[in-house]
Amino acid sequence: VKVLNPVLYGRLRKAFGPVRVSNEGQELSARNAALYDGRPHMVFRSKGEYYQVNCPFCADTKHRLYVSYMYGQTHKSGRRLYFLVFCFNENCLSRSDNLEEFEDRLGDINHAFVHRGTEAPAEAKEVSLPGVCLPLSDLPARHRSRVYLESRGFDPDVLCRRFGLSYCESSRYSQASNRIIIPVYEAGVLKGWQARYIGDPDWKSAAVKTSGLIKYYSCPGAQFRSRCVYNFDAMREWQTGVVVEGPTDVFRFGSMAGCVFGNTVTEAQRRKLYSVFGLRTLVLMLDPEEFEKPRTRETVAFFRQRMGASFAAVRLPAGTDPGSLDRDWQKEYVRARAAEQGVRVVYKKVQ
Ligand SMILES: [Zn+2]
């Protein structure tokens, strides 16, 4: 077996029996985060190669003790990585006597030679929330995040329950602190997040533009804005999917809507949408001026060509922000505009 840490692999085998290797050859990527909640934190971008053995401390027979190939090594931040072992069966190594016994049975490991791995593929990279995030429903009624959402016509408890919105109290990213966090999941896995500024100064004014203040701060490095369709897990349960620009448009429209984080539908997003809605119906709902842009025309052509009368492009009435329109009105508007194009919109879940 060719593994990144042959010494550790050999010792695990000797002490605990057969070893399974996962994420073979992949480099662990993590960095020490600031003490944002009073404890040293390590933020993992990718787990890297790890070894699975039967946990000797519980009745595990499914190789549920995970040991990173970097176990016992010194991280570039200077930290010894003795915590990179975990029993997924009963969390046995949270007990210090078990941890000590594990260390004893392996013997001194921190000078073992470790091969360099390869960078994990982008899909395998892990994303975590920006810091201490409190569910909106756990906050006092007068909390500014709740008051702000209510002022925009949203129910913070519904947004918390259905979309997992939280408030970030402190973060290693200054642009995420004191903002509303909108997590982006796909197949139940966190792929990224956006941090929404609380409040609405005149975003188009010169003063705001030069101040560097941004409406949405996106999780760095995650590339979710070009790869993911927001709310896709819920959207895919519907007969008709409605593609909108931003997360708040989704909150406004309802769970059959998904957003592409802007006005461009990327190649990856098109494919994703087509894979689910190719045999159902799909509506693209954007600002009128977007339809003049080459990228939008390309997107419309892509779906028209493949879906024919199962795809409609709907222009919002000029000068309106979808966020300002009420849900029933929007649904009816989309149904009527699509019908004019010979497309039958069905707001029902797929059986
Ligand atoms: Zn265990």
Side-chain angles (χ1 to χ4, degrees), residues 6 25 48 97 140 152 166 213 219 225 231 235 253 310 323 332 339 342:
D97 52 338
R152 294 197 52 194
S166 59
L213 185 69
C219 169
R225 295 170 74 227
N231 195 42
M235 181 191 188
F253 200 93
S310 304
E332 197 38 53

Side-chain angles (χ1 to χ4, degrees), residues 211-283:
S211 73
L213 185 69
I214 49 171
K215 204 192 274 188
Y216 287 100
Y217 174 72
S218 293
C219 169
Q223 291 176 293
F224 68 92
R225 295 170 74 227
S226 59
R227 292 173 203 261
C228 298
V229 173
Y230 178 67
N231 195 42
F232 200 58
D233 291 347
M235 181 191 188
R236 65 183 300 153
E237 294 179 6
W238 295 82
Q239 288 280 355
T240 298
V242 179
V243 181
V244 294
E245 272 190 34
T248 52
D249 303 328
V250 173
F251 305 155
R252 194 76 65 179
F253 200 93
S255 68
M256 67 289 292
C259 94
V260 291
F261 307 102
N263 42 34
T264 307
V265 189
T266 64
E267 180 70 29
Q269 289 166 335
R270 277 184 213 164
R271 283 178 202 281
K272 197 161 282 179
L273 291 163
Y274 181 71
S275 72
V276 168
F277 294 99
L279 296 174
R280 302 184 201 163
T281 50
L282 189 67
V283 174

Side-chain angles (χ1 to χ4, degrees), residues 5 24 38 71 79 116 120-121 130 152 167 186 232 242 256 290 326:
N5 189 338
E24 208 175 321
Y71 168 82
R79 204 164 159 207
R116 265 202 83 91
R152 294 197 52 194
Y167 168 75
E186 243 178 32
F232 200 58
V242 179
M256 67 289 292
E290 296 304 329
D326 117 280

Side-chain angles (χ1 to χ4, degrees), residues 55 58 87 92:
C55 175
C58 56
C87 167
C92 297

